[in-house]
Amino acid sequence: QVQLVESGGGLVQAGGSLSLSCAVSGRIFSINTMGWYRQAPGKQRELVAEFTLGGSAAYADSVKGRFTISRDYGKNTVYLQMNSLKSEDTAVYYCHADGYRDTSGSYYFDDWGQGTQVTVSS
């Protein structure tokens, strides 16, 4: 009932920029957190950036100062602006959201997008 659709991945040169979008749709009552994770081959999936329950943005140390997370409450969409990209940023990026769905807000959801590939060439 809740789906996340990502867009914006692709190939970019080191030092360049790329922006990702994730639209969360369905019968959503409320959202607790929204954010982005990434996973490189042979490595564990890690948090990149997210909005917490308190509404503040949290970033991984490796992307602080380079990436910016933003959101549009009306569209239930979260964005990730990536600047000064490095080869180390190459990974599959996943959108994530959790919260409550349906009219009553009685059902908890915790869902992921299918992922979008970001490749940074040197």
Side-chain angles (χ1 to χ4, degrees):
Q1 295 183 13
V2 176
Q3 58 182 348
L4 287 69
V5 180
E6 300 132 324
S7 63
L11 175 65
V12 65
Q13 289 277 8
S17 299
L18 199 64
S19 61
L20 306 180
S21 299
C22 174
V24 183
S25 62
R27 297 181 181 181
I28 299 170
F29 181 82
S30 64
I31 293 175
N32 290 340
T33 65
M34 293 190 296
W36 294 91
Y37 292 70
R38 68 185 181 187
Q39 187 169 23
K43 301 185 70 175
Q44 189 175 3
R45 186 174 299 186
E46 64 176 353
L47 173 70
V48 177
E50 70 168 355
F51 285 107
T52 67
L53 271 172
S56 62
Y59 296 90
D61 288 339
S62 60
V63 307
K64 286 181 179 178
R66 300 189 298 119
F67 291 9
T68 302
I69 188 171
S70 60
R71 59 189 170 186
D72 185 326
Y73 288 102
K75 297 179 180 179
N76 284 332
T77 301
V78 62
Y79 308 89
L80 185 68
Q81 178 64 46
M82 303 183 290
N83 298 323
S84 301
L85 283 162
K86 306 174 181 179
S87 60
E88 303 95 282
D89 296 317
T90 296
V92 177
Y93 284 69
Y94 296 90
C95 179
H96 172 263
D98 78 303
Y100 297 89
R101 61 177 174 83
D102 294 336
T103 304
S104 65
S106 300
Y107 298 92
Y108 178 76
F109 74 89
D110 187 341
D111 291 318
W112 297 84
Q114 65 179 348
T116 185
Q117 178 70 48
V118 172
T119 302
V120 184
S121 62
S122 300

